[in-house]
Structures are given as C-alpha cells and as structure tokens.
Amino acid sequence: MNSIAGHKSGLTWAVHISVLLLVGLWIFPTVGLLVSSFRTADQISSSGWWRAMFPTEQNLTLRTATPDTQVKIGDLYVIEGNLFEVKAGKSAAISAWGVTSREIDAYKSGDQAELRKGGLLTVQSDGSYRLESDTEISGKRGPRVFVTAVVPPEFTLKNYETILISGNATDNMAKAFINTLTVTIPATIIPILIAAFAAYALAWMEFPGRALLIAAIVGLLVVPLQLALIPLLKVHNEIGIGKGYLGAWMAHTGFGLPLAIYLLRNYMIGIPRDIIENARVDGATDFQIFIRIVLPLSFPALASFAIFQFLWTWNDLLVALVFLIDSTGETTVMTKQIVEMLGTRGGNWEILATSAFVSISVPLVVFFAMQKYLVRGLLAGSVK
Amino acid sequence: MHPALQGILTIAFGVGGCVGYFYLSNIILDHAIFPARGTHIARNIRRANIVRPWLFLLPALLALGLYLAYPVFETLRLSLTERVPGGGSVFVGLDNYKQMLGEDKFWEALQNNFLWLLVVPAGATAFGLLAAQLTDRIAWGNLAKSLIFMPMAISFVGAAVIWKLVYDARPPGAEQIGVLNAIYIYYGGDEAQQWLTIPFWNSFFLMAVLIWIQTGFAMVILSAALRGVPEDTIEAAIVDGANPFQIFFRIKMPQIMGTIVVVWTTITIVVLKVFDIVFAMTNGQWQTQVLANYMFDKLFRANDWGVGSASAMVIMLLVSPILIWNVYNARKEMR
C-alpha cells in the first residue's frame, strides 16, 4: 500500500509542476510586454526583458565635461569629473573602455590612454576620470569615451508619459484612447436594450413563426461579418452617414445582436414559469412583466453580454477600419494606431510595448473584475 | 462637435429612443388601436396580444435584417457583377470566381486556411482540455485558470505586438531580445532567425498566437463539462483498478465528447474569420495569406469588389456546414 500512496503523491507533484509550467508559458509573453514597457530603449535593445531584474552589461557612449571647464595645474591643463555626471542619473561599474568606436574595450579601468588629439585620459571603474594635456584642450565638447559598464536594473515611467501625454502625433495615444472609448460605450449599451425586448418576445410570448425566428438567429450567430463590409459601406454612403462614429455604432449593434438575443433568450427561458403566469393573472401587461420582473432577474445574462460586447468592440480592428476611420485619421482607434506603429516603428519596442499595454489594460481590468459573468456567459452561449 | 459629447448624445438618443419606442408603441397599441374597453373588449385584447410580439421584435429584426441577412444576398449579387467606371455595375456571371481561382495568392490563402483549421482548433482544444483536467483538483486551480484565460481579453492586435516581441530577431553578435531566438542561440543555433519570414513554418508561428488566445475559452467550457461528469462512474473505474490516464481517456473523455465538439466548432468559426493577427503581423507576406486578409486586400487595396465579394462567399461557404449543424441542433432542442 505504501508504494501506491507514494505513487499518488508523486502524481500530485507532477500535476502541480505541470500547471505551474503551463501558467508560466501562458503569461510569459504578456509579462514580457509589461516589463518592456517600463524599460528605456537602451535597456530593451541591450538585453532581454527577462534580465531586467538583474544588472546588465551595456555599451555606453559618454563624454567628458566640456573644455571650458579645464583648469591649469602647474604646466598641465586638466579636466576632471565623473563620466556619469554628464548623462545624469546613472551610476555603474566600468569594466572596459576605449576612445575610438573601433576599439571600445581597449583599456581596463585605471588604465591610461592617449587621445588622438593629444592628451592623456584615465578612467576609474566608478566613472571618475582625469584628462590632462600639456597644451590647452580645444573644441566645443569633451572627447567621447566608450565604456562597457554593468548597469543596475532601472525602470522608468517615461514611456507612459510619451504615450499618454507628451508624445508627437504618431506616438501619442491619448486621442485614440478617447476615440476607442467613444466607440465602445454606445456600441455596448444600445444592443443590450434592443436585444432584451426581442429575447423576451422569443422566450415568453406566443406567436406564429417563433421557432423559425430562433433558428434564424442561431444561424446568424456564425455569419462572418466579412460579408457585411461592402454592402453596408454602400448603404452607409447612400443614407449619408459615410464613415464615422454613427456608422461604427450601428455596425457593432447589428453584429452584436445575434449573440445578445441568443444569450438573453436562453437565460430568460430559465425564469420560473410561475412567476410570469402569476403576474399575468394579477393583470400585469407584457410590458410591465418585462420591465418589473424579467429585466431585473436577467441581470447576470445582461452583464455577461455587456462584457462580451465591450471586449469585442474595444479590441476590434476590422469594423473600425471599414466603417469608422476616414482619410483624415481624426477618428483613429488604438488598435489601428498600434498596427501603424508596427509598420513604422517596428524596432522601437519601448513605444510599441507601452502603447500595446495601454490598449490592453482596460480590457484586462474588466476581465479580472467581472470574470464570473464572462465565464457564465460563455457557458450559456456555447454548451446549450 | 466633440466626439465624447457626440457619444453621450448618442447614448441618450439610442437608449431614450429605444425605451421611448417600446413604451409609446405599447401605450398606443393598448389605448388607441385596440382599447381594452367598450363592446369589443375581448377581441381587442386578443388582437393586441397578436401584434405585441412584433412590437418587441421590430428593432432587432430591422437591425439583423439590414446588418446580417441583407449583406449575405448583396455580397452574392456583388460577386456576380463587375463595377464599371462612372458608377453602376454589370452582370458578369462567374467571371470573378474564375479570376479568383486563377490567382496563386487565393490558393495560398485557401491552403493556409485549411492548415489553420487543422492546427488551431486541435491545439486550443487539446491545451484547454489539459489545463481543465490539471487544474480541476488543485487548491490554486482557479488562479491558474484565470491566468490561462487572460489572453481572451487581449485584442488580436495587442497579441500581435506581444508575440512579435517573442519572435524578435537581432543581427548576429547583438544580444537577442526575443525569447525564441534567445533560446535558439542558447541551444547552439548559430544565427538569429526571422521566424515570421520562413515560408510554411511562419504560418505556425502565427497560429501559436491564436491557440494562445483560444485555449482559455476551451479550458473554461471543458472544465465545466468535466465537473459535470458523474462521480459514480469515476468511482466505479477506481474500484476496478483504472489508473488516472485510463480514467481520463476512457471514462471522462467519452462523456464530454459533445462539449468537445462544440468547442471545436466554435474555434473553427473564429479561425475562418481570422484577420487581425495576420494583418498586424505579416499582412499576408511570406506566404502567410489567409482568406479574410485576402478579401480585405481585394476590397480595400485592389478596390476590386467583385473578387473581394467572391472570396467572402468562399468564407461563407466554409462556415455554412457549421451554420446548418447549429440550426439543426437548436431546432432539435426546442422540440
């Protein structure tokens, strides 16, 4: 029996470790994006984000102080200071350095190098240097020094400042954020109302053709919205909406309705028949039954659909491209702006990671806050 | 007008309009057209009750008709016509379809779509099942589940950025910042690979993104199904000496087969419509084209509505079997 018990606990360990691996695998890419959004461009391109918590060895290009700070000591002209003072806020341990870009690691800390323009330079590992020359040092800027230094981990909020506040037109997402919100909220609320009435009729009212209508809605659930692009763009142009918010709201409403009606009907049909029959006997009209009884009882289903529709409209790219964004680009949404950045700023990971994280942060908050309803909605929407 | 203000006005108009419509139309029906008083009271109430469902349904039916039903037929019509300069269009029969079938890019897209159809639903369902089973009985199972479920909330575009960072390649000698290349170099690869430009295999790197997103969905549904498997069947199997693997494959799997099919078909539909991932990551270059992106290219880059609509009809055709199957099941359930 002992061996069986031992085997079981071994299996339990295997389960825990497998789950840990699986979860790790699943969140690893997202964590990468999050960590990258708090790093500077230099850090991102010099080391993988998984090393962000550890000191990294970086190649930096620094300068000594300008020649007008030189002092004359005896026969020598001297500039003294710390290399890291010029590029403020950094401190690091220098392991190697050089004075030309071809040999950036020619000297160790403490060594003395002769500059091409004349003069001797000594750099210590903490970044302090001494440049001495027997002639006056000329030039506007101090000579360049290439250092290889171990830089401690450092995180910055500057990327978020660029994306949300100070960035130029292509980098600043504040406007796209507002636009996305403007698309999302009406496109979430309006279909709920329309669908709730229809779902009530399909669940609790008797009329010829009901079964056929329900079947049609189940069918429409899977119709690809790709089919709707050109015909509806034509309709929108003909009735004078053109491209804009109104068109996007209407399109999202239309595309969201089948799921909304389906989810709400499935939920409403589960409300006990007694409650509704009793209300009818007491003389309530269908309108009153719907407003006073069915709607409040259906709150969980309404919440489920609201989350679905919110996530779908917030994350949407296709509908925005076709129905919303015109040639002026005034109404651009975040997804579109990020796709554009992927094209034009493919290498600027600090900008890309931050903007992507700004756009996914809202859905993530909604997701974690209302996960219960989302799961419920999924179960109602597909298992039945 | 400021868009935010416009948005608030729209909400007010939309919500107010809806409520007003339902409220007023009911009042008019009950008091003006078929008043529940006078000599024909019974007949009036009966008639009002015949009309009322259609009052409730009208806005939804209009929206569904205009936004989903009408486009199916209009797209079919467009796919059989060609636009002529100066407006208007002429009937060209199957010419658009012929032109489409003659294009290499179309066949590439179709081939890739079938590859996606094979790999993504299978991958997502398998991972989902694995996650559902493993997290079922452990204490922190719910936390694990919600972390695996999380990518569901992330947009395809966001996911594209996340995975482009994973696939990033740096020139030789430089430190690799993409995880995949870092691992590849660590295990003796000589040079960083541009994963998304390697024909054939790059499609799989794109599919990984969708599997990553859809696994959570599969897990949630299958986990509920696994919970629904009757305890006594499992206990009977344990008594008979079945090991955990036998219990899973021989007892649990057959009992949740119906749910697995539902999950599979739902993900299949997502795959058929997949657009954003390809659009954002490769835009169909390097032989990664898929139907939905091919269609978008035709409609809005080549401005060829005929061929674009024809390819949309191909997507519709591929979805149809599932559509019919769903409707058939729904009707069976209602009886």
Side-chain angles (χ1 to χ4, degrees), chain A residues 11 15-16 18-20 22-23 25-30 32-33 36 44-51 179 182 185-186 189-190 193-194 197-198 200-202 205-208 211-215 217-224 226-236 245 249-251 254-255 257-258 261 265 286-287 290 311 315 317-318 321-322 335 338-339 342 347 349 352 356 359-360 363-364 367-368 371 374-375 378-379 382-384, chain B residues 2-4 6-7 10-11 14-15 18-19 22-23 26 30 49 52-54 56-57 59-61 63-64 66-72 74-75 77-78 127 130-131 134-135 138 140 144 146-155 157-158 160-166 168 170 175-179 182 211-212 215 217 220-221 224 244 259 262 266 269 273 275-276 279-280 292 295-296 299-300 305 312-313 315-316 319 323 326-327 330-331 333-334:
Chain A
L11 197 66
V15 167
H16 278 279
S18 325
V19 175
L20 209 60
L22 204 59
V23 170
L25 192 65
W26 245 253
I27 62 170
F28 192 75
T30 317
L33 191 79
S36 296
I44 291 178
S45 57
S46 64
S47 69
W49 62 265
W50 53 93
R51 298 211 183 126
N179 290 348
T182 312
I185 294 175
I189 294 176
I190 294 171
L193 257 169
I194 298 179
F197 276 95
Y200 175 75
L202 291 173
M205 290 165 116
E206 295 287 343
F207 60 94
L212 207 66
L213 269 181
I214 298 170
I217 283 163
V218 172
L220 290 178
L221 268 177
V222 297
V223 168
Q226 268 89 359
L227 265 75
L229 304 182
I230 286 296
L232 288 180
L233 199 56
K234 268 172 62 182
V235 170
H236 282 182
Y245 286 114
W249 289 324
M250 285 166 62
F255 300 145
L257 270 181
I261 298 176
R265 180 194 167 267
D286 274 309
F287 189 73
F290 174 74
L311 291 180
N315 291 338
L317 173 66
L318 188 55
L321 280 180
V322 177
T335 46
I338 292 170
V339 168
L342 270 173
W349 278 110
L352 271 174
S359 100
I360 67 177
L364 282 184
F367 171 84
F368 281 113
Q371 206 182 132
L374 187 66
V375 169
L378 275 183
L379 291 176
S382 26
V383 176
K384 278 200 178 175
Chain B
H2 193 272
Q6 203 187 345
T10 308
I11 296 176
V15 173
C18 284
V19 172
F22 288 116
Y23 185 70
N26 266 283
D30 287 333
N49 282 342
R52 198 181 332 269
W54 301 101
F56 275 49
L57 283 166
L61 289 185
L64 285 176
L66 178 61
Y67 279 85
L68 286 165
Y70 157 74
V72 175
E74 177 66 5
T75 303
R77 190 186 72 79
L78 284 173
F127 275 116
L130 182 72
L134 289 179
T135 54
I138 61 176
W140 54 290
S146 89
L147 289 176
I148 294 177
F149 193 30
M150 183 191 69
M152 274 291 280
I154 296 176
S155 61
V157 174
V161 176
I162 291 176
W163 283 85
K164 270 211 147 178
L165 181 60
V166 171
D168 192 71
R170 294 271 145 161
E175 177 99 9
Q176 293 303 323
I177 64 164
V179 178
I211 294 178
W212 179 71
T215 293
F217 162 75
V220 165
I221 308 276
T259 312
V262 169
T266 310
I269 291 169
K273 300 181 199 170
F275 162 75
D276 315 33
F279 183 77
M295 194 207 85
F296 190 84
L299 287 183
F300 298 104
W305 288 12
M313 287 314 289
I315 301 178
M316 186 65 210
V319 171
L323 188 154
N326 280 359
V327 170
R331 299 210 59 150
E333 213 173 84
M334 267 186 288

Side-chain angles (χ1 to χ4, degrees), chain B residues 15-36:
Chain B
V15 173
C18 284
V19 172
Y21 160 79
F22 288 116
Y23 185 70
L24 290 178
S25 65
N26 266 283
I27 286 185
I28 292 171
L29 186 71
D30 287 333
H31 294 274
I33 305 177
F34 299 118

